[in-house]
Amino acid sequence: MSELILTVLAIAGLQADSAALRRLAAERDSLEQTYQAALRAAGDQHPLDTLATDGLVVVVPARFRRAFGAALGEVAPAWLSLFEQVPPVLTIATRGSFVEGDLTLVGSRAAGAPTFGFSRLGYRLEVTPAAARRMLWTALAGYLDTEADSALLRWTPGVLPRLELVPDGDVAYQLATAPGASSAACRRGNRAQCAVALGLEGPLAAKELPRGTRAALLAWALEAGGAGAWSRLVAHPDEPIALRLAAAARRPDGAAVVADWLDAVGAARSGAEFAGTGGWVAGTGWLLIASLAVAGLRRRP
Amino acid sequence: MIGALWRLQWKSARVWILAGAFAAGLLPVVSVSQSWPSGERELAQFLAQLDVWSLFYPALAVGLGLIMAAVVGRDDRRGAFVYAYTLPIDRRRYAAMRLLVGLLALIGVGVALWVAALATVAVAPVPATLSAYPGLLAIKFTLLALIAFALGAAIAGIPAAGRRWLARGVALALAAQAVLLLLGLEVNFVRPVAEALVSRYGPFGLVAGRWMLIDV
């Protein structure tokens, strides 16, 4: 295991002497064993497995290996790309409860950094790659929380910036239904009032849209900004949030961020959620198949 | 021939066709009028209530499709297929025409829903920030009802012995699953099947997704 961790750390680009690397590897081994023991103590009798990639190590019940392996393959590159400097290698541990498909995040921790996990998030998930991906992002957002400054945390209190929050029908729903004068003006096309409703301009207390909407804007800015977006966001904690979002999203100013985000939300309006092209095609296909079956089966009534 | 089969079906299934059309037409009218917002502050509540009402659309579509399939199949079985045998056409063609008139009846129900939905959004002005989807709603309803009808008709077309074995198999599987759950075993083979049926590309995949006449 130590050799694997040495490799991971080397790939992650950590510039340290071999003694430091060995010390880190020993700490990682110890941490993994601690998690394994914690999982067993928590009543998880299932065999556990450890998945490792650049910057991330995940301890999961072995039966969920495939789902978490697929999720890790997607999440790890996106996670690493958020930073200009290579972040610390993180360990995330999960356990399966007695109900199949019910997962609990036992804890997560950055190697060589203070523990930020062990929050015991209760999750009822189907163990699909998508569910595993959500869980990984939630755990990783816990780390972002520890890096965020107070201004950023005030703007999105208690909401973790998960990349999966990129605009969807729910955000369009929140924008279309939020009460308040600024939100109403925003709906009528006044984009300056959208910034007010989002708490980007004017007093912070004036924000009217739910914090989930603000978290979605933040996630979109990180996604839109590409490589190093998170590092740019937290680089200047004294600047207004709008400017910081603009830096993260590589936009000239906050107004451009809001405008582009609203366009993205508009494009994700839920009209397409009735079925989607695949759904319509599949439905028509099943109708044809069943119709052919009717004709075939009626040969011998 | 189609006309004769249509009259035959109308005679036995008109109650269901008319009741289905009435219910489908009533749904948009009642759902919107019951939860119509008095101001922008109530938009969220309006959509939430409309979301609850939207559960009735797929339920009605699937239910009506299966009932129609059962009624059509019952007619043929009750007459021991004598009517079908006396017709001067191939049995496969007869089955196809039987299916076609059933599909036409359900398309009629879908049209009733579409007209009622159009009338509803015409009378009740949709807030500028929301959109109405009468066409998509009616198309989705009709397609789901047609799929349910065709699948039901396919099952009804299985010879009686085969249908009995199928029913026994399903009942046995459900009973076995219940026993396994009671024994506390983490084995669930019914759930994957159910999920496959309503998955995105499953036969009843259209049950999922939005069913809102008015939405964002």
Side-chain angles (χ1 to χ4, degrees):
Chain A
M1 190 63 208
S2 297
E3 290 305 314
L4 173 63
I5 290 168
L6 281 172
T7 307
V8 169
L9 293 177
I11 291 170
L14 290 182
Q15 299 301 315
D17 59 35
S18 59
L21 278 176
R22 286 182 201 290
R23 197 168 55 250
L24 272 175
E27 184 183 345
R28 291 292 315 287
D29 273 349
S30 163
L31 189 62
E32 188 186 324
Q33 285 165 13
T34 305
Y35 277 124
Q36 298 260 6
L39 290 167
R40 291 199 180 89
D44 196 324
Q45 300 303 317
H46 301 287
L48 296 168
D49 217 338
T50 301
L51 307 167
T53 183
D54 294 0
L56 293 177
V57 174
V58 183
V59 182
V60 291
R63 62 193 166 130
F64 302 148
R65 179 187 174 89
R66 181 181 290 182
F68 272 94
L72 194 60
E74 288 182 39
V75 170
W79 167 252
L80 290 175
S81 76
L82 288 175
F83 302 89
E84 284 171 351
Q85 301 282 325
V86 177
V89 178
L90 302 184
T91 301
I92 299 164
T94 64
R95 77 178 179 90
S97 77
F98 63 95
V99 180
E100 190 179 8
D102 194 13
L103 284 179
T104 303
L105 178 70
V106 174
S108 48
R109 176 180 162 153
T115 298
F116 63 84
F118 287 104
S119 54
R120 300 189 68 82
L121 294 175
Y123 255 73
R124 182 163 183 79
L125 296 173
E126 292 175 20
V127 191
T128 59
R133 196 170 60 237
R134 284 197 298 275
M135 196 158 195
L136 291 181
W137 274 119
T138 302
L140 293 170
Y143 174 74
L144 295 184
D145 230 15
T146 64
E147 277 213 334
D149 53 90
S150 58
L152 196 57
L153 291 175
R154 269 202 310 279
W155 188 62
T156 54
V159 177
L160 310 170
R162 295 178 297 178
L163 285 192
E164 57 159 341
L165 286 173
V166 166
D168 57 13
D170 286 347
V171 177
Y173 171 83
Q174 290 161 0
L175 285 170
T177 59
S182 296
S183 300
C186 173
R187 282 197 289 271
R188 287 191 286 272
N190 186 337
R191 294 202 159 172
Q193 287 299 307
C194 295
V196 174
L198 286 162
L200 294 174
E201 286 180 17
L204 198 60
K207 56 186 186 290
E208 297 170 355
L209 289 162
R211 55 190 182 179
T213 312
R214 298 195 293 279
L217 168 58
L218 174 56
W220 177 85
L222 293 174
E223 178 98 351
W230 175 259
S231 298
R232 292 195 297 279
L233 181 75
V234 296
H236 302 288
D238 298 331
E239 286 188 350
I241 295 289
L243 284 181
R244 295 171 63 183
L245 286 175
R250 295 186 192 278
R251 298 297 192 275
D253 52 31
V257 173
V258 172
D260 289 353
W261 177 66
L262 287 172
D263 288 343
V265 171
R269 283 168 73 97
S270 61
E273 291 178 17
F274 267 85
T277 308
W280 293 117
V281 171
T284 309
W286 278 109
L287 178 59
L288 289 173
I289 290 169
S291 300
L292 291 172
V294 170
L297 288 166
R298 290 283 180 147
R299 277 177 295 176
R300 293 191 298 125
Chain B
M1 180 58 73
I2 287 278
L5 286 175
W6 172 262
R7 281 191 293 278
L8 188 69
Q9 178 183 264
W10 179 253
K11 193 175 172 185
S12 61
R14 64 177 179 272
V15 173
W16 292 107
I17 296 170
L18 290 174
F22 181 70
L26 206 60
L27 264 178
V29 178
V30 174
S31 61
V32 171
S33 62
Q34 285 289 309
S35 44
W36 190 248
S38 58
E40 283 200 336
R41 283 189 167 276
E42 294 179 6
L43 283 180
Q45 192 182 354
F46 167 63
L47 289 180
Q49 289 180 355
L50 217 54
D51 198 19
V52 174
W53 277 98
S54 72
L55 297 172
F56 289 101
Y57 291 106
L60 180 63
V62 173
L64 191 61
L66 293 177
I67 287 172
M68 283 290 291
V71 169
V72 170
R74 183 196 61 193
D75 287 345
D76 281 341
R77 285 194 302 277
R78 185 181 286 167
F81 290 87
V82 170
Y83 178 74
Y85 281 131
T86 56
L87 293 173
I89 56 169
D90 175 56
R91 282 177 215 160
R92 190 175 294 194
R93 194 161 166 230
Y94 169 78
M97 285 197 287
R98 262 305 217 175
L99 182 75
L100 184 63
V101 293
L103 297 179
L104 286 174
L106 289 171
I107 288 172
V109 175
V111 169
L113 168 62
W114 180 56
V115 170
L118 278 177
T120 303
V121 296
V123 172
V126 179
T129 55
L130 301 180
S131 302
Y133 301 97
L136 277 175
L137 181 66
I139 291 171
K140 190 175 181 182
F141 176 91
T142 308
L143 185 54
L144 183 59
L146 296 183
I147 292 168
F149 173 73
L151 286 173
I155 292 171
I158 297 173
R163 266 200 322 276
R164 274 196 296 276
W165 277 110
L166 183 66
R168 284 173 193 157
V170 170
L172 189 65
L174 291 174
Q177 179 63 76
V179 170
L180 289 173
L181 287 176
L182 288 172
L183 291 173
L185 296 173
E186 289 187 15
V187 179
N188 195 332
F189 52 83
V190 170
R191 187 175 163 186
V193 174
E195 284 177 348
L197 286 174
V198 296
S199 67
R200 188 178 178 191
Y201 299 113
F204 294 104
L206 288 175
V207 167
R210 297 290 177 103
W211 283 88
M212 307 262 283
L213 173 59
I214 297 171
D215 206 342
V216 294

